[in-house]
């Protein structure tokens, strides 16, 4: 089972836990003008991978763009089989009207 955390640098983030083959919708809010980056924690090994290779212990990219707003994920240290299909993270960005 993979645990994918979507974290915003300073503000609280959202969490999503999925199983193999699951399709799990979720949503979260971030403020406009800020960056967010997915972080993958593999439940079996407790290994955490970041969306940029330099931050990973093995210095290998574990996220690969597979389309607009979509990432294929490799969940094994050292790059595993490099198929980037262990989990697919796809998201849609929408804007909401300001309340203030």
């Amino acid at each position: 089972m993979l645990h994918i955390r979507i974290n915003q640098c300073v503000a609280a983030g959202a969490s999503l836990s999925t199983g193999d083959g699951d399709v799990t919708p979720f949503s979260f809010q971030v403020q406009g003008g800020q960056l967010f980056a997915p972080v993958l924690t593999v439940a079996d090994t407790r290994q955490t991978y970041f969306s940029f290779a330099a931050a990973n212990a093995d210095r290998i990219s574990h996220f690969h763009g597979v389309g607009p707003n979509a990432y294929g994920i490799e969940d094994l240290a050292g790059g595993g089989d490099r198929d980037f299909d262990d989990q697919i993270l796809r998201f849609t960005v929408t804007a909401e009207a300001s309340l203030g």
Side-chain angles (χ1 to χ4, degrees), residues 15 27-28 52-53 55 57 59 61 67 70 75 92 97:
S15 240
S27 65
F28 64 98
F52 46 100
R59 300 286 191 234
S61 178
D75 66 350
T92 302

Side-chain angles (χ1 to χ4, degrees), residues 26-91:
F26 74 106
S27 65
F28 64 98
Q29 295 181 348
V30 295
Q31 285 188 312
Q34 295 190 6
L35 299 175
F36 73 96
V39 176
L40 165 71
T41 301
V42 181
D44 294 344
T45 63
R46 295 186 184 173
Q47 182 65 49
T48 297
Y49 300 113
F50 300 90
S51 57
F52 46 100
N56 296 324
D58 60 7
R59 300 286 191 234
I60 293 175
S61 178
H62 288 266
F63 291 78
H64 180 72
V66 295
N69 296 334
Y71 293 98
I73 298 170
E74 178 55 58
D75 66 350
L76 295 175
D81 56 11
R82 297 181 186 249
D83 60 5
F84 295 97
D85 69 354
D86 300 315
Q87 194 68 254
I88 304 295
L89 172 63
R90 186 175 58 197
F91 58 93

Side-chain angles (χ1 to χ4, degrees), residues 9-28:
C9 289
V10 177
S15 240
L16 170 66
S17 247
T18 63
D20 189 30
D22 288 353
V23 175
T24 308
F26 74 106
S27 65
F28 64 98

